[in-house]
Amino acid sequence: MKTSVIERARTIIDERRFDAENRAKENKILAFKDEKFKSLYQEYTTKMIEAVKENKPLSQKVLNLKKKYEERLKELGLPSIEPIYHCKKCNDSGYIDGQYCSCLIKEINNTLKRESGFDKLEDFKDVNFSIFENSEQMRKLYTKMAQWCHSKFDKTLIFIAGDTGVGKTHLIKCMANELISLNHVVLLTTSFAMHQDFIKSYSTRDLDEKSALLDRYLNSEILFIDDLGTELRQPNITINYLYQVINERKMKKLPTIITSNLDLYDIKDYYDERISSRIIDKATSICVYVKGSDLRLSKQA
């Protein structure tokens, strides 16, 4: 994943923390202008520090002092002199025990969605199966994919083929939304957008830029590639880079979900046997073909 994506997400979390702490400081300054509050707070602080030094629990008298100064705060119309953090789990630091907090993961996903063009996702619970020509097949497929989202990802590559407009993109939007709700970091891209990065990586002489352009596809926790085969294929670029992405992600056991208008035989002809063999590997892949007519045309009829 691009470091810059993480940095931008962290900036949002940091701004929340700074805002919460600055508001608390401003409230404290205002509160200390009130002599009654100031007296109660200072007495509470003194008694609390004494109890800590003596390793004693806070007495009811000390707790009552805290209650009184909090009541005085309300009378002054001030919410708190302590920061009110957006995320109570990490206090807007973005980390818990050195690991990403769910709030940071959410912002990383929001950043990735904005940059991918897949800003609006779908929800499994809102699917109307009556719109599908093959409603029972689609119900089973959606159920299977929802179950996969909650699995341990023993199958790390999912290939969903089918004609244009049969609901492949809608399905992966549901999957991405479900995975994000489970605190996974998800990158959605189109084959065209990914191929543009392949071309840039191939063309640049800057090694850092070359690496950064590929990093998001090689190392994102979960990668969705929509409409594989619609890009303007350039054999010396497309095939080599696509193979690198699929192969390395398989070796790292990083899930990759691909949709395409091409079936498995077309994939072999359009790309090469190396790529098709990675996709059809039964030990690590799930391959499905979605039948049906173009839903977008039926809606217009």
Side-chain angles (χ1 to χ4, degrees), residues 109-122 173 177 180 188:
N109 279 318
N110 286 341
T111 302
L112 289 170
K113 281 193 291 182
R114 285 192 297 270
E115 293 183 354
S116 69
F118 286 87
D119 235 356
K120 186 180 182 303
L121 298 181
E122 307 292 345
K173 285 183 176 181
N177 191 44
I180 288 171
L188 294 99

Side-chain angles (χ1 to χ4, degrees), residues 1 109 112 148-149 153 156 175-176 179-180 183-188 216-217 219-224 249 254-257:
M1 185 192 308
N109 279 318
L112 289 170
W148 177 87
C149 290
F153 308 137
T156 56
M175 293 173 69
L179 289 163
I180 288 171
N183 290 330
H184 292 291
V185 176
V186 171
L187 172 63
L188 294 99
R216 63 187 312 188
Y217 304 114
N219 296 311
S220 289
E221 183 187 356
I222 300 175
L223 173 65
F224 285 84
R249 291 186 62 82
L254 294 173
T256 307
I257 300 90

Side-chain angles (χ1 to χ4, degrees), residues 19 80 102 120 125-127 131 143 169 205 218 259 272:
D19 182 60
S80 176
S102 58
K120 186 180 182 303
K125 69 177 183 293
D126 296 330
V127 180
I131 66 172
T143 299
T169 300
R205 294 183 180 180
L218 295 172
T259 72
D272 66 12

Side-chain angles (χ1 to χ4, degrees), residues 8 14 74 91 116 186 199 204 276:
R8 289 198 293 279
D14 288 343
K74 290 181 181 178
N91 289 340
S116 69
V186 171
I199 294 172
T204 184
S276 66

Side-chain angles (χ1 to χ4, degrees), residues 45-285:
T45 304
T46 301
K47 298 293 185 184
M48 185 265 292
I49 292 173
E50 288 174 357
V52 170
K53 284 182 177 179
E54 295 174 6
N55 199 24
K56 293 180 179 179
L58 296 181
S59 67
Q60 190 58 49
K61 182 179 180 181
V62 176
L63 293 174
N64 286 339
L65 283 170
K66 183 179 182 183
K67 184 178 179 181
K68 286 180 180 179
Y69 89 64
E70 287 176 341
E71 288 173 351
R72 184 57 181 166
L73 266 181
K74 290 181 181 178
E75 291 172 1
L76 296 170
L78 298 172
S80 176
I81 58 170
E82 299 298 329
I84 301 175
Y85 294 110
H86 186 270
C87 178
K88 302 298 187 291
K89 291 184 289 185
C90 71
N91 289 340
D92 293 341
S93 68
Y95 295 87
I96 300 175
D97 297 329
Q99 302 297 316
Y100 290 171
C101 179
S102 58
C103 68
L104 178 56
I105 292 173
K106 180 180 179 181
E107 290 309 324
I108 291 172
N109 279 318
N110 286 341
T111 302
L112 289 170
K113 281 193 291 182
R114 285 192 297 270
E115 293 183 354
S116 69
F118 286 87
D119 235 356
K120 186 180 182 303
L121 298 181
E122 307 292 345
D123 200 305
F124 276 118
K125 69 177 183 293
D126 296 330
V127 180
N128 177 12
F129 292 102
S130 66
I131 66 172
F132 297 109
E133 179 181 307
N134 51 338
S135 59
E136 192 54 36
Q137 181 204 14
M138 294 303 286
R139 187 184 299 276
K140 289 179 180 178
L141 176 59
Y142 272 70
T143 299
K144 184 176 183 179
M145 292 300 100
Q147 290 171 344
W148 177 87
C149 290
H150 288 261
S151 73
K152 295 181 179 179
F153 308 137
D154 294 328
K155 303 289 187 178
T156 56
L157 191 144
I158 297 177
F159 181 75
I160 305 169
D163 292 334
T164 301
V166 295
K168 303 185 300 296
T169 300
H170 183 274
L171 173 57
I172 65 169
K173 285 183 176 181
C174 288
M175 293 173 69
N177 191 44
E178 190 73 9
L179 289 163
I180 288 171
S181 74
L182 295 169
N183 290 330
H184 292 291
V185 176
V186 171
L187 172 63
L188 294 99
T189 187
T190 62
S191 182
F192 177 82
M194 183 175 67
H195 189 253
Q196 293 303 303
D197 282 339
F198 289 169
I199 294 172
K200 292 175 186 175
S201 178
Y202 179 81
S203 303
T204 184
R205 294 183 180 180
D206 186 317
L207 295 180
D208 289 338
E209 182 183 6
K210 186 183 291 288
S211 176
L213 285 164
L214 290 181
D215 178 71
R216 63 187 312 188
Y217 304 114
L218 295 172
N219 296 311
S220 289
E221 183 187 356
I222 300 175
L223 173 65
F224 285 84
I225 306 171
D226 195 29
D227 278 341
L228 186 69
T230 57
E231 76 284 347
L232 297 174
R233 181 173 64 97
Q234 299 181 32
N236 61 328
I237 299 177
T238 313
I239 294 175
N240 291 336
Y241 278 75
L242 181 60
Y243 175 77
Q244 182 182 353
V245 168
I246 292 175
N247 189 54
E248 286 199 23
R249 291 186 62 82
K250 266 186 170 284
M251 290 192 295
K252 295 174 182 176
K253 296 184 178 180
L254 294 173
T256 307
I257 300 90
I258 301 170
T259 72
S260 180
N261 296 341
L262 306 175
D263 62 26
L264 293 172
Y265 296 103
D266 294 331
I267 290 289
K268 183 178 179 181
D269 292 338
Y270 194 73
Y271 298 106
D272 66 12
E273 190 171 347
R274 294 181 305 159
I275 291 174
S276 66
S277 67
R278 293 298 181 275
I279 292 175
I280 65 175
D281 181 1
K282 291 183 179 179
T284 57
S285 301

